[in-house]
Amino acid sequence: MAMPPAAATARTLTRHPRSSDLASLVTAITSCLETLNPQNPNPKHLNPTHLNQFSPHLDSNLVIEVIKKQQPNPYQALFFFNWASNLNPNPNNYSHNHRCYVAIIDLLLSHSLFPIAKNLLEKHGMFSDLLVSKLIRAYGYSGDTKSAIFWFHKVKEIQQGKCLFSWNAILGVLVKVNQINVAKSFFDQIVNDAVVKPDASTYTTMIRGFCKVGNVDEARRLLTKMRLNGVKENVATHLSILKGLSVAGKSEEAIGYFSEMIRKGMKLDAKEILVEIGELDKAVLLLKQVKNMGCLPNLVSYSTVICGLCRSQGRMQEVADLVDDMLQDGFEMDATLYSCLVGGFCEAGNEEMAMRAFYDSINKNYVINLQSFSFFVNLMCGKGKVIEAEQIFKDMCRRCSLVDVDSYQRVLDDQLHKHSGRR
């Protein structure tokens, strides 16, 4: 049987290839897999003979790199993984290590192929704490809490409770679906049974759960217990407290807590509470105070407040002031901010400033989002400036390489049709 061109590459490589050789081998295997092109988990009709040329070169690093390369097509990765699991011949007695299983499970779960990932773990008896915790999160975050709990109990029995990754995973799932009392029951088991020692993630997950329902007092008690047990809190812990204060309507206390953490040297990002506060005036004030706290706002912090102001009536002057501050701090405008500006000026009926922001974005090859584009066309047509609206559309299509022309054309046509009916 004639061997594919990839065979030439395989023959020239040593058992332990250099990084450049590894890349060549990964490319050769990928080409071979694309020729086979498996489209389901267990393709019966495919002959893996062409892959056998690569068996002398297999090691865990090569397998992991091939799996990563197959990100767009998980079935090709799975076909390769299964082939490498059952090598015949197997000249170097290769077998997958734990890292290989992590790589294939991560890929399958990223494509929501939960049953296939589950079957693979069961087939190979790979019920490690880390691997099963990934399955627990995948099921739980997709809304299948029942399966998440089932797999938690399965790994807990196999590992005799010594499964901290899975404990943390199931707590995160329960908190996400607001089953705080059930999560607390699981947490109490950890503490009472003392089979594993809770870490910062364990405590922070529960603190986040209490803060989601505004129970800041319970969250703070848990924070104290965390410190007494010698577990050091992290940024995520404090952000959970901050969000809890905001949920409970204690925005002033949230700002005070934020300021205290900054003074203590914590590198907190103001954006994590600006949205939660829900009060733009206080958010603007906090953003201006951040510099005095020794913590320079980042682009996302500015963007959060600026876009919030753009959605509020009568606050575009404040927007202009904050944009000036942001530019002075060395940050550049991005597509999100330009879209907010265009939308905000349109809402204010200021077609001159809206057009200025629009053209500025075009000059930087940024595409205004569809909603703001619709607002803009609506404003221009309403003011009888149809020709100007059509011209800026043409300029955007000509100069912005990422624009989806068909989608924007439909929005333009809809607005033109709507306004033509009003005449």
Side-chain angles (χ1 to χ4, degrees), residues 29 40 67 93 97 106 262 264 286 293 302 384 409 414:
I29 294 174
N40 59 69
I67 291 172
N93 297 317
N97 63 16
D106 281 344
I262 293 296
K264 290 183 176 180
L286 175 59
M293 300 175 190
Y302 274 117
Q409 181 71 63
D414 289 345

Side-chain angles (χ1 to χ4, degrees), residues 397-412:
C397 294
R398 178 171 53 86
R399 300 172 65 177
C400 297
S401 58
L402 298 178
V403 66
D404 179 356
V405 176
D406 291 340
S407 297
Y408 283 79
Q409 181 71 63
R410 284 193 294 271
V411 170
L412 177 64

